[in-house]
Amino acid sequence: MIVTCQVGLRGYLASRILAQKGYKVKNLDGGYKLYKSVSGKSKGMIGKINKLFARIEAKNFLKELLTMNEITVYTTNTCPYCHMVKNFLSEKGMLFKEVNVQQDPAAGQRLVETTGQMGVPQTNVNGQWVLGFDPSRIMSLIHE
């Protein structure tokens, strides 16, 4: 996942939170470095104003990011229902983490120990488990 913003602050904060949630994140610096290097009184003032607005926006952005849904889909390479769950979440614009238990057998073992189920897909939505392709159950667990 690539994260960026105009000033750099929101991108930095978002990338840290997403990385803590297990996503692979690359933060692309926004305009922050540019503002630091700008000289001249009027340009410097514009930079200060933009930084102030970025801090205010960052607080609102952080609130949204912290209430973001945590979704993890456990899959295998050949499971058609796994593809259906991933397509459904993508079409809804939901961010999710995929764990392929065929490629990571240890994760598969932890999944069985946690849920008692061997089948896939299994989807963890904000701490609640959904077995199989069940869009209505997934949507009922989503934070709006």
Side-chain angles (χ1 to χ4, degrees), residues 1 11 14 19 21 34 39 45 47 53 64 69 74 96 107-108 110-111 122-123 127 129 134 136:
M1 180 179 304
K21 292 179 182 264
L34 176 66
S39 61
M45 183 58 72
F53 281 118
E64 287 182 36
N69 293 291
Y74 293 83
F96 62 92
R110 288 190 304 273
L111 180 64
Q122 290 188 52
T123 307
W129 290 96
D134 189 346
S136 59

Side-chain angles (χ1 to χ4, degrees), residues 9-43:
L9 181 60
R10 289 169 294 179
Y12 171 74
L13 295 172
S15 64
R16 288 198 51 199
I17 291 169
L18 291 169
Q20 289 172 352
K21 292 179 182 264
Y23 294 92
K24 293 180 183 176
V25 181
K26 172 67 178 161
N27 179 33
L28 300 179
D29 287 334
Y32 182 71
K33 289 182 180 177
L34 176 66
Y35 289 128
K36 279 176 64 174
S37 66
V38 170
S39 61
K41 192 171 186 175
S42 63
K43 290 181 182 178

Side-chain angles (χ1 to χ4, degrees), residues 15-136:
S15 64
R16 288 198 51 199
I17 291 169
L18 291 169
Q20 289 172 352
K21 292 179 182 264
Y23 294 92
K24 293 180 183 176
V25 181
K26 172 67 178 161
N27 179 33
L28 300 179
D29 287 334
Y32 182 71
K33 289 182 180 177
L34 176 66
Y35 289 128
K36 279 176 64 174
S37 66
V38 170
S39 61
K41 192 171 186 175
S42 63
K43 290 181 182 178
M45 183 58 72
I46 291 170
K48 288 178 184 176
I49 291 169
N50 284 333
K51 286 180 195 176
L52 175 63
F53 281 118
R55 285 190 192 113
I56 293 167
E57 289 177 21
K59 287 180 183 177
N60 294 333
F61 178 74
L62 266 179
K63 286 178 188 174
E64 287 182 36
L65 194 57
L66 291 172
T67 59
M68 183 175 73
N69 293 291
E70 289 191 46
I71 304 171
T72 305
V73 182
Y74 293 83
T75 66
T76 62
N77 296 333
T78 57
C79 166
Y81 294 103
C82 298
H83 293 289
M84 290 170 67
V85 168
K86 293 187 297 182
N87 289 339
F88 172 77
L89 292 170
S90 295
E91 288 170 5
K92 294 290 185 186
M94 309 259 181
L95 292 177
F96 62 92
K97 178 180 176 183
E98 179 182 2
V99 178
N100 186 314
V101 298
Q102 194 170 351
Q103 296 172 353
D104 186 354
Q109 183 60 38
R110 288 190 304 273
L111 180 64
V112 171
E113 290 169 1
T114 302
T115 67
Q117 301 290 325
M118 292 183 68
V120 290
Q122 290 188 52
T123 307
N124 187 309
V125 181
N126 300 316
Q128 300 292 314
W129 290 96
V130 178
L131 181 60
F133 177 63
D134 189 346
S136 59

